[in-house]
Amino acid sequence: MGHREDLLEGAKRCLLEKGFVRTTARDIVKESGTNLASIGYHYGSKDKLLAEAYVSLVEGLSDDFAPAVGPVEGSEPGSLDRFQEVWSNIIGTMQGPGSLWRLSVEIVAMGDQLPAVRDHLALAQREAARGIIPLFLGGREEDVPEEDVDSVGKFYNTLMTGLITQWVFDPTTAPDADQLTEGLRRVIEAAGGGRN
C-alpha cells in the first residue's frame, strides 16, 4: 500500500476508536505510519481524509444490508417481506458495541462546523440513496433513474437517518424491522392500498 491507502486505513481505525472530533492528524499519522505532509498532499486536510474514511467504512457495511439471494431464501423485490428483511439486516449492524453508526450522529451534529466535510458527505449520501434502492426493489444500482434517487432513495435515507438516531440514543426503545414493516403496512393501507 502507498501513503494514500495507509492514511485511509489509519483514519478508519482512528474513527472507530476515537470518533471524528477527538481524532487528530497526529493520531492518523501514528496509526498509518506516514507523515503529516502526506495528509495534505493526498487529501487536502485531516477533515477531508476523515470524511473519506467514514464513507469507506459505511460502504464496507453495505454488503451486510443485502437480502438473501436464491430461490428459497430471498424475498420478492418490492414486497413487505423484502422491506422487513433489509431493515432487519441494517438494524443488525447497529446492535453491536462500538457501532459505526455512532459516528453518523457525531458527524450530523457537527455538520455546520465543517461545511467542506458536510458538502463531501452530501454527495456520498446521494450515492447511498442510489445504492439502497436495489436492496429493496431489485435491479442494478447503475440503472436507478435520477427521479428515483430524489424520491425513493431519499425516503430510504430518511428512514435510515431516523433509525440510526434512535438506535444510538436508546437501543431499548428503537424500532425493530417487524415494527417498521407493520408501520409501512398500515401507512399503505391508510393510503388506500397504494391507489392515488
Side-chain angles (χ1 to χ4, degrees):
M1 277 197 295
H3 275 207
R4 182 175 177 77
E5 295 81 16
D6 291 340
L7 284 166
L8 187 65
E9 292 304 312
K12 289 195 290 193
R13 290 190 295 274
C14 288
L15 277 176
L16 292 172
E17 182 182 324
K18 294 184 167 201
F20 200 98
V21 174
R22 293 184 306 146
T23 296
T24 67
R26 292 192 187 283
D27 293 332
I28 297 168
V29 166
K30 181 179 177 186
E31 191 64 37
S32 66
T34 60
N35 58 62
L36 286 172
S38 293
I39 294 174
Y41 178 77
H42 290 291
Y43 291 94
S45 72
K46 175 199 78 154
D47 290 341
K48 287 184 180 175
L49 167 57
L50 288 175
E52 283 287 325
Y54 172 76
V55 169
S56 180
L57 285 166
V58 172
E59 286 172 348
L61 273 182
S62 65
D63 289 342
D64 295 338
F65 300 168
V69 294
V72 176
E73 334 156 87
S75 50
E76 186 68 29
S79 68
L80 286 174
D81 288 339
R82 173 68 64 97
F83 183 88
Q84 189 279 336
E85 184 179 4
V86 173
W87 284 115
S88 180
N89 293 344
I90 290 171
I91 289 168
T93 69
M94 296 178 184
Q95 294 175 331
S99 167
L100 164 67
W101 301 114
R102 292 186 180 282
L103 281 172
S104 299
V105 173
E106 179 184 359
I107 291 168
V108 166
M110 60 186 287
D112 61 339
Q113 299 169 23
L114 300 165
V117 172
R118 184 189 58 224
D119 293 346
H120 178 79
L121 292 176
L123 292 174
Q125 187 174 29
R126 181 161 181 78
E127 289 312 303
R130 181 183 310 284
I132 201 168
I133 292 171
L135 295 176
F136 290 98
L137 303 179
R140 300 180 324 154
E141 184 175 335
E142 55 269 23
D143 296 334
V144 174
E146 292 303 313
E147 59 269 15
D148 287 359
V149 174
D150 289 331
S151 57
V152 178
K154 286 183 177 182
F155 170 77
Y156 288 131
N157 269 357
T158 300
L159 283 177
M160 178 77 124
T161 303
L163 194 61
I164 289 167
T165 302
Q166 290 181 46
W167 272 91
V168 169
F169 181 71
D170 184 10
T172 62
T173 61
D176 62 23
D178 291 337
Q179 291 168 321
L180 288 175
T181 305
E182 179 60 16
L184 179 60
R185 187 191 64 72
R186 290 182 184 199
V187 167
I188 291 168
E189 188 176 276
R195 292 187 305 267
N196 291 333

